[in-house]
Every structure is written in structure tokens, then in C-alpha cells.
Amino acid sequence: MLRTIRAFWHDQRGIALILVSVMLPAIIGFSLLAIDMSRVNNLHNDLQKAADAFALAGAAELDGSSGSWVRAERAMATLVSNESNFSTAGRVPLTAGQPGGTLNCNNAGNISWCFLKAIPAADSTQITAANLATYVADANRTVGEAETRFIQVTVAPTGFAAIFPASFLTGNSASDSFNVGAISVAGFVSGVCNFTPVFICNPYEMDANGTNDAGGYTLEQAVSNPAVRRRLIELRKVGNGAAAGPGNFGFLEPPAGVGNGAQALAETIATSTPIGCYESGSVSSKTGQNAGPVQDAFNVRFGIDANGHFNSPEYGPAANVRKGAIKTKGAANQCPSMNQLSFTEAGTMGLPRDATTPYMGGRMGDGDWNISDYWSTNFGSTSHPSSWDTTKPTRYDVYKYEIAQGLVGTASTGGEIGTPSNSCQPPVTSVDRRLLYGAILNCNALEAAGNDLSGHSTNLPVEAFGSFFLTEPVASASDDASVMVELVDVTGGAGQGTLDNFLRDEAQLYR
């Protein structure tokens, strides 16, 4: 009997079954836990990818311009399609909505969001209800849209029911289920490259009452309406000659490596290959430079001698320099200086100014300019599009038509042609030299906020980047000299797309 008991005691057959029986609950538990971890990880990935997609779609519209909030909401509602799986509700579509773009924080569909002017420097610092006021954009839509640089999107937490009996570990009968959510922060960097270091005070800037001295048109409305776009605008330099108000211009900080001083600034304006890149939220003004070289920088585009300052091909004139003047002094083999040109010679006519200037204190015209006299003086009986007889074109349209139809070399009744002199640098045809590119700033609002645009101010938000057509040479080297321009195009949703090659827009995830 004792031998039998001893043999049974030492017999190891079937021990695996005992061990498996003992470990089976743990094996099943770990298997269920692995399945749950995989399910919750997939659910979180779905929610996080949705949050990232919503945030990126919204951020791509946050260019600091008017209407950016409503465009961001529209993008999230219409451009993003996501769904999640493994929640208690099963497969769930994740959607947004368009509440109207009037609030700095809002929610619709499965998400909520806040438009932010800044984010914490450290990624470990979360944006919570306690510190949101530090980072959220101003509730005043006009102010808030201009300062918005980021959007934080939160996907509504969704329930997850675990298979693994988590309540067994916690003693809480309700802990088998919990919520899973996701948060994403994306930002938008909008900028341009190959732009001249110039800013133009928005001629169509609205005041606090939603009015302006430009007939109530906004910048977006003006650029999309040819009848408004063809208004001639008289720009004056911010500084001694003019305040930083609508319709004036100043200079931006030149790109690194250009050098200091008026001459270096003039070179960056005069060149046909500018290297400056500027972001929409952080341009810096640097006005106060001497106006003399700057006059040369503008006028070299018209084939006017710049006193030896710009004697290389990158400073060549435009392909069409018709300006209503002929040279009456100096040797025939020289590019004319301003004092060698006669702008009053019979039979010459540059692009005329508007008949009246009822806007912006007399510095913005009504868009009614004398195209018939201009055409007959310069091109005689040569035909032009019949539509011009009923709908007046912009001056820029006429200028481009002259080039496209080979009329640049046609002599006016007084003998002027639009072809620059062969003795000048060769004309630049790779870019349109008669266009001036610059950042459009809401100068009144910026000055009211304490910025000094007649000196050096940093981190200035840009309403839009724009192009302006130079209609005539700058007549004076003084600070109050007038630069006569037509608005051509702006960046952003209201633009015509002609500036797309300059844009460097990028939406990216930050956290």
C-alpha cells in the first residue's frame, strides 16, 4: 500500500493538464486583454486620424484674412470623411458641421474646436479649460480671425465596452466600459516668396462700424469686381509725407543678407529676381529710408536711367514702357533720365488717370478713365476689342493687350513707342516688371494696436499679399511722391489665382 502511494506521489503523468487547468483563466484573461487592447487601439487610431484630418482641413483656411473661420468650418464639414469602429455604437461616421464661423470656440457633429492665436511652448503643456483663455483667439471675429494661427479639434469621446472583466480587478461593476477620445492641434503657415519688401496699407480697410472711405467695398469685393479694380489709387510713402493710413505704402524688413541702407532696400525693389519670403502672420516694417533711390527702383522698370545704380540685366525695364513721354535731351544712345523726358510733348499719352477722385480723400479714382483718347493717340485706327466700347477695361488689361497683339512698337502721333531703348539693359520678359508685389496691411488697426509702421514693428499680420500695376513713373524723389497703381490681384479665396506661383502655404500638425 505504501509502495502504491509512493508511486502515485512520484508519478508525473497528466501534470500538464493540471497546470493548464490552473493557468487557463490567466491565459483566457490575457487573450481577452490583448483583444481589448487591439480594439481600443484601433478605435483611438480612428478617432485620432479623424481629429488630425479635421484639424488639417480647418487649418488650411486660417490665413488671417476675413472669413477664415467660416471657411475653416466649411472645410471640416465638406472635405473630411471619417468613421470609427469598435466603439459601443459599432461603426460610426465622424462628421462636422457649419455653425456659421462667428465664434472662436464651437461644436457641431462629432467634434468641437477652438481657434487659437498661440499654443504652449512645451508639448507637455495641455490646452485645457483652465488655460484656454491664454491661447484662444479674440472673441471679436474681426480681431480673432486676424490673429488665428492654430485650431484645436476635439473628437467627442465615444464609449468602449471591454470584453476583459476589468471590474474584477477594480471592484467597480461599471468599469468594464470607458470613453476614448482624441485631440489634435494644427496650424497654418501662409507666405510668399520672390516678393518685394513693400507693404501697402489696405485701401479698403473697414473701420469698427463696417465702413470705409472707398465706397464701402471690402478688399475681396474690390479685387473680384473689374469696375472697382480699375480705380486708380495714389500711394504715398509712410513717414514724413503721409501717415500709415489706407492707400499709403512703406517698406518691409529686407531679407537676410541684403544689407542695410536705402540703396540696399532700393536694389531689392528694383530687381526682377527678388529673394524675399514673408509669412502672413509675421512681417516686419522698416520704413524711414530715403526716398531717392526708391524712386529710381520704381522707375527703372519704365526704362528710366537710375543714375548708374542698377546697371545689370536683372534691373532691366518692362517689355512695355509706354508712359506718355519722349526724350528731348541727352545723347540718343543713353537711357533717358527723368530730366531728359518731356511728359507734355504733343502726341504722347500715358495711361490716363481717372476723371474724378471721389474716394479716400481724393486719392482713389472712380475707375472712369479716357481709354478712347489714349487709344487714338497711341494706336490710331488700330482696332481693339469691341467689348471695350461698352465695358471699360482696366489699364492693366490694355497694357497686356498691347503686348499680346504686338502693338508695343507702334508709334503714337508724337512718336513715342513702348519698346525700351536698345541702349538700356534688355527688357525683362520672365516676369511682369510693371507689377509691384507687396503685403497688404490693415494699417489703421495696426497703428491703433500700438504698432509704429513709420519705423520698425514686428509680427504684423497680413490681410493679403497683392499685386499692383504701376501706371506711370514716380515723378519725384521726395517722401510725399505719388505712386499711381491699379489693384490687380490678391492671395486668398477672393483672388484671381495669378499669385499662386508665389504662395508657400502649409498646414501642419503641431500636437
Side-chain angles (χ1 to χ4, degrees):
M1 183 65 180
L2 185 60
R3 180 181 298 174
T4 300
I5 293 173
R6 184 181 295 110
F8 179 77
W9 181 260
H10 291 288
D11 191 348
Q12 296 185 8
R13 289 175 296 175
I15 193 171
L17 180 61
I18 298 173
L19 293 175
V20 168
S21 299
V22 172
M23 294 298 297
L24 188 59
I27 293 173
I28 294 175
F30 278 116
S31 298
L32 294 178
L33 186 60
I35 293 172
D36 279 345
M37 290 176 65
S38 176
R39 290 170 62 235
V40 76
N41 184 65
N42 285 336
L43 173 59
H44 182 263
N45 281 343
D46 288 346
L47 297 179
Q48 189 61 56
K49 288 178 180 178
D52 291 347
F54 283 123
L56 285 170
E61 303 297 331
L62 302 179
D63 57 1
S65 65
S66 302
S68 57
W69 286 0
V70 70
R71 293 198 306 271
E73 290 180 0
R74 185 185 304 119
M76 290 190 292
T78 60
L79 300 181
V80 181
S81 177
N82 287 284
E83 64 178 16
S84 65
N85 204 359
F86 299 116
S87 70
T88 53
R91 189 176 294 274
V92 178
L94 301 174
T95 61
Q98 303 180 55
T102 58
L103 300 178
N104 55 1
C105 289
N106 216 327
N107 66 86
N110 303 90
I111 68 170
S112 60
W113 60 88
C114 282
F115 297 111
L116 308 177
K117 62 184 177 183
I119 58 176
D123 288 343
S124 58
T125 303
Q126 295 184 354
I127 301 174
T128 64
N131 64 5
L132 180 62
T134 303
Y135 306 107
V136 71
D138 196 287
N140 182 323
R141 181 177 172 182
T142 301
V143 177
E145 286 182 328
E147 66 184 10
T148 297
R149 293 293 174 267
F150 307 92
I151 183 172
Q152 176 173 272
V153 173
T154 302
V155 177
T158 184
F160 177 83
I163 302 174
F164 182 81
S167 58
F168 174 77
L169 300 177
T170 64
N172 184 349
S173 60
S175 63
D176 286 352
S177 298
F178 51 90
N179 290 330
V180 179
I183 299 177
S184 182
V185 176
F188 180 72
V189 177
S190 175
V192 293
C193 285
N194 309 122
F195 248 56
T196 44
V198 172
F199 72 82
I200 291 95
C201 293
N202 184 2
Y204 298 95
E205 180 181 0
M206 292 290 184
D207 60 23
N209 298 318
T211 61
N212 59 26
D213 293 331
Y217 287 96
T218 66
L219 179 64
E220 291 79 10
Q221 291 169 335
V223 78
S224 60
N225 186 342
V228 181
R229 199 169 65 240
R230 67 172 180 252
R231 293 177 176 179
L232 195 63
I233 303 171
E234 179 185 352
L235 305 180
R236 290 184 179 175
K237 178 175 166 289
V238 173
N240 296 332
N248 291 325
F249 77 97
F251 307 118
L252 299 176
E253 185 88 48
V258 169
N260 296 316
Q263 185 58 38
L265 175 64
E267 290 173 359
T268 65
I269 296 173
T271 182
S272 61
T273 56
I275 61 174
C277 291
Y278 301 97
E279 293 185 2
S280 61
S282 58
V283 300
S284 299
S285 64
K286 193 173 183 180
T287 308
Q289 303 285 2
N290 181 273
V294 176
Q295 180 203 26
D296 293 338
F298 287 127
N299 287 349
V300 72
R301 303 158 186 260
F302 288 89
I304 297 175
D305 182 61
N307 300 316
H309 291 152
F310 310 117
N311 289 336
S312 53
E314 65 266 29
Y315 303 116
N320 183 356
V321 298
R322 193 180 300 273
K323 49 190 171 288
I326 60 174
K327 187 166 68 168
T328 57
K329 301 177 183 178
N333 62 351
Q334 293 178 334
C335 292
S337 299
M338 283 293 292
N339 60 7
Q340 295 175 339
L341 289 170
S342 170
F343 287 85
T344 59
E345 203 73 20
T348 63
M349 177 179 281
L351 291 164
R353 299 187 180 185
D354 289 342
T356 62
T357 55
Y359 304 107
M360 221 170 62
R363 293 194 296 111
M364 178 187 287
D366 59 0
D368 181 17
W369 63 284
N370 194 339
I371 182 177
S372 59
D373 280 1
Y374 172 81
W375 195 263
S376 61
T377 298
N378 290 291
F379 307 109
S381 60
T382 303
S383 62
H384 58 66
S386 58
S387 60
W388 292 1
D389 295 327
T390 55
T391 303
K392 200 180 296 291
T394 68
R395 296 166 183 80
Y396 186 55
D397 288 336
V398 174
Y399 160 83
K400 290 192 299 180
Y401 183 84
E402 294 174 24
I403 296 174
Q405 299 301 314
L407 299 175
V408 176
T410 301
S412 70
T413 56
E416 183 194 14
I417 61 173
T419 307
S421 170
N422 290 332
S423 60
C424 297
Q425 296 297 331
V428 176
T429 57
S430 57
V431 294
D432 195 334
R433 292 283 280 152
R434 292 277 293 273
L435 290 182
L436 174 66
Y437 301 96
I440 301 175
L441 306 183
N442 288 327
C443 294
N444 280 344
L446 291 172
E447 290 266 316
N451 298 285
D452 178 17
L453 300 183
S454 62
H456 183 60
S457 290
T458 60
N459 297 322
L460 303 173
V462 177
E463 176 68 12
F465 292 97
S467 57
F468 295 80
F469 175 57
L470 295 167
T471 63
E472 61 186 65
V474 180
S476 170
S478 65
D479 268 348
D480 60 352
S482 296
V483 181
M484 308 302 295
V485 299
E486 269 186 351
L487 174 64
V488 175
D489 201 3
V490 297
T491 56
Q496 312 299 306
T498 62
L499 298 176
D500 287 353
N501 289 338
F502 297 93
L503 289 175
R504 302 294 186 270
D505 291 347
E506 181 180 354
Q508 65 183 56
L509 293 171
Y510 286 83
R511 52 174 62 195

